[in-house]
Amino acid sequence: GYTANGRPGILGYRGAPLQVSFLGFPGTLGSSVVDYILADAVTIPPGEEAFYTEHVVRLPGTYQPCDPTPPGPAPSRVAMGLPETGFVFCCFNNSFKITPEIFGLWLSLLAATPGSVLWLLATNDQAAASLRRSTIAGGIDPSRVIFAPFQPREAHLARQTLADLALDTRPYNAHTTGRDALIAGLPMITCPFPSFAGRVGASLLTDAGLAELIVPDLDRYRSLALSLTRDPVRLNGLRTRLSAGSGRGDPARFAYNLEIALITMWERHRAGLPPAGFDVA
C-alpha cells in the first residue's frame, strides 16, 4: 500500500488474479486494482463498506497477527533512565502521531500525578526538542518527559514491563506498538477515531478482553487514566489478565482464520464469481 518503499504501482499490472490489501496501509487504497482488504469488526465496522474500494473481509478477533513470545526479564528502572519510584505513563508510538491535543492531555496527567513521568520513544531529535518545548510551555519540568532510544524487539518488550500504563494516540492509534505493550503486560487506554487507523487500539484491546479500556472521548480518557493511577489494585488486575496471555493472542487460530479467508476468496475466483465481502466465522 501507501507505505515507505511500497511501490503500489506494481498492482496496476495485475500480476496476480486476486490482489489483497493487508496490514501495511491502514485504510482503503482507493483503487479498483485491489480486490479485498483484510480487517475485523472493529477496524471496519459493518456499514462502513461504502468507504472502501476493496471488498471487506473481516477476520474474527483482530486483523493483526502477533509474535506471542512473552518479554524477558525486565531491566532496572535506573538503567532505562527512569526514576526508581513514581508512576510511569508510556507511549512508544511514532512521534508524528502525537498531536498538540493529545500531548496537552498527557501533560495534564503529569500535573495531576505527583512524581509521575512520561516515557516516549526518541524517534528523532527534532521531535524530541519540540516536545520538550511544549512541556516547558505547559508548565511541566521537561525532565519528567523521558525519551527511550530504539532497541531490538526482545529488549524493547522487556523494558515496557517497567511502565505502569500505556497511553494511545489519536486520531492515529498505536498498531505494532500497541500490540507490543499488551504482550509486555502493559495496559493501554485508547480513544477510537472514525477511521481504520484510529480504531486499531480498540481492535487490539477487544481481542485481549480489555474493552473497558476503550473510551468514547478524551475527557473520559483522562479520567480513566487518573483513576488507574489511584487504584493500584485495579491496575494490577489488568496486568494480571494480560500476563496470563490475553494480550498475546493465539497465532495458530489466527493463521487458520487467515487461511479460511484466502481459500474462500480463491474458491470464489475459481467458480467464476466476482470478489465479494464476507466475514470469517
Side-chain angles (χ1 to χ4, degrees):
Y2 306 128
T3 59
N5 306 312
R7 302 175 71 190
I10 292 172
L11 297 169
Y13 289 95
R14 273 287 176 182
L18 290 177
Q19 299 188 146
V20 185
S21 177
F22 174 49
L23 204 59
F25 181 75
T28 182
L29 299 184
S31 172
S32 61
V33 303
V34 180
D35 303 293
Y36 291 99
I37 182 171
L38 285 165
D40 56 56
V42 176
T43 49
I44 305 181
E48 297 278 321
E49 292 86 353
F51 301 107
Y52 290 79
T53 54
E54 304 87 352
H55 297 278
V56 177
V57 174
R58 295 184 184 88
L59 299 173
T62 180
Y63 82 106
Q64 192 188 93
C66 75
D67 175 356
T69 306
S76 70
R77 276 193 169 197
V78 172
M80 294 295 102
L82 298 170
E84 292 189 56
T85 60
F87 198 91
V88 177
F89 297 104
C90 176
C91 179
F92 283 159
N93 294 2
N94 270 308
S95 57
F96 70 79
K97 297 182 181 183
I98 302 174
T99 64
E101 181 181 36
I102 202 74
F103 193 66
L105 187 155
W106 293 349
L107 294 181
S108 77
L109 293 175
L110 293 181
T113 312
S116 64
V117 297
L118 176 61
W119 200 17
L120 304 177
L121 188 65
T123 53
N124 63 76
D125 293 340
Q126 286 181 313
S130 177
L131 291 168
R132 287 192 184 98
R133 288 194 298 270
S134 296
T135 302
I136 295 169
I140 300 295
D141 182 343
S143 67
R144 295 178 65 189
V145 178
I146 298 167
F147 291 90
F150 283 92
Q151 285 190 340
R153 187 166 185 273
E154 183 178 350
H156 174 63
L157 289 178
R159 70 181 174 182
Q160 286 193 78
T161 62
L162 300 173
D164 295 295
L165 182 64
L167 301 171
D168 201 4
T169 46
R170 187 180 192 268
Y172 199 139
N173 287 174
H175 291 197
T176 302
T177 49
R179 174 66 87 178
D180 285 347
L182 299 179
I183 290 173
L186 179 61
M188 178 180 73
I189 296 175
T190 192
C191 181
F193 186 82
S195 69
F196 192 119
R199 297 186 181 113
V200 173
S203 169
L204 296 173
L205 286 168
T206 300
D207 188 55
L210 293 179
E212 67 261 44
L213 298 181
I214 305 167
V215 294
D217 56 61
L218 292 180
D219 285 341
R220 275 174 274 195
Y221 179 114
R222 184 179 185 277
S223 63
L224 177 58
L226 284 178
S227 70
L228 289 173
T229 68
R230 299 161 184 170
D231 191 348
V233 173
R234 182 183 179 193
L235 188 59
N236 286 335
L238 295 170
R239 296 189 74 114
T240 298
R241 286 156 65 185
L242 287 172
S243 298
S246 70
R248 296 196 290 273
D250 183 341
R253 181 191 67 181
F254 182 90
Y256 176 82
N257 291 328
L258 178 61
E259 289 172 351
I260 293 297
L262 298 175
I263 290 168
T264 303
M265 295 174 196
W266 185 241
E267 287 179 343
R268 284 189 61 84
H269 176 75
R270 290 188 64 186
L273 298 172
F278 59 89
D279 292 358
V280 176

